Amino acid sequence: METEHFNEDDSLRLITSMINNVRNRFNENGTLYILWGWVVLICCLFQFASQYFFDNYKGYFIWFVTWGVTVYQIYYLRKKIKQRRFTNYTDGLRGAIWLTFVICTAIIIFILIRFEMFVAINPVILVMYGFPTYLSGIILRFAPLRYGGIACWILAVASTFVPNEYHLLLIGMAVVIAWLIPGYILRAQHSDRVPYKSLSVVLP
């Protein structure tokens, strides 16, 4: 029987793999979660206030700011990729998940508008928010994102019992739970303001 030798190259590959696994778990700094959390929250509150307090139903124009945020996100991600010494499968997978989320959400909203099912748009958005958030939590092994995804689905069900004019507030609540809170935890973790052991309550 031939004996397999664990040579220097094998050792380097093992060490690199271990480092990559750790980085996959802790390289997310939460910036985009925080950015989009605040953008969506502000847009929701602005549109709700316009409709509820001022009887102005053109407040939805505020959502056009997301195009500018999208441009910034593309710039931010390209800059971040150039600064990395290596790329890994996890980052590509998460990117594919969020791209799928954007495409599917746009198509579903288009279909709902075509069939004039406007009342279902916000509940469907809540369902879609939960999809990439939950999967990102699985990939990163980060419990707050998983709980955030579940919270989005719970709020989607709850929206069927809430008048349509309050759905924007549910979306605002969802992004606070699913994106802002996990984003700030990730930022603190990334900057070493939170010791590793203290994160054991949120990491499986």
Side-chain angles (χ1 to χ4, degrees), residues 29 31-32 71-81:
N29 61 14
T31 296
L32 293 179
V71 172
Y72 170 78
Q73 176 179 327
I74 294 172
Y75 165 78
Y76 171 82
L77 290 175
R78 291 186 64 179
K79 182 179 179 181
K80 191 174 180 181
I81 290 172

Side-chain angles (χ1 to χ4, degrees), residues 154-166:
I154 293 173
L155 289 171
V157 175
S159 68
T160 63
F161 302 96
V162 175
N164 186 41
E165 59 265 29
Y166 296 105

Side-chain angles (χ1 to χ4, degrees), residues 185-199:
I185 294 175
L186 285 167
R187 171 173 288 184
Q189 168 188 306
H190 185 78
S191 61
D192 294 327
R193 288 197 295 267
V194 178
Y196 175 82
K197 292 183 179 179
S198 69
L199 292 172

Side-chain angles (χ1 to χ4, degrees), residues 128-152:
M128 294 304 298
Y129 276 0
F131 152 63
T133 305
Y134 183 84
L135 289 182
S136 294
I138 294 292
I139 294 171
L140 292 172
R141 290 182 288 173
F142 188 61
L145 284 175
R146 295 204 305 270
Y147 299 150
I150 294 172
C152 289

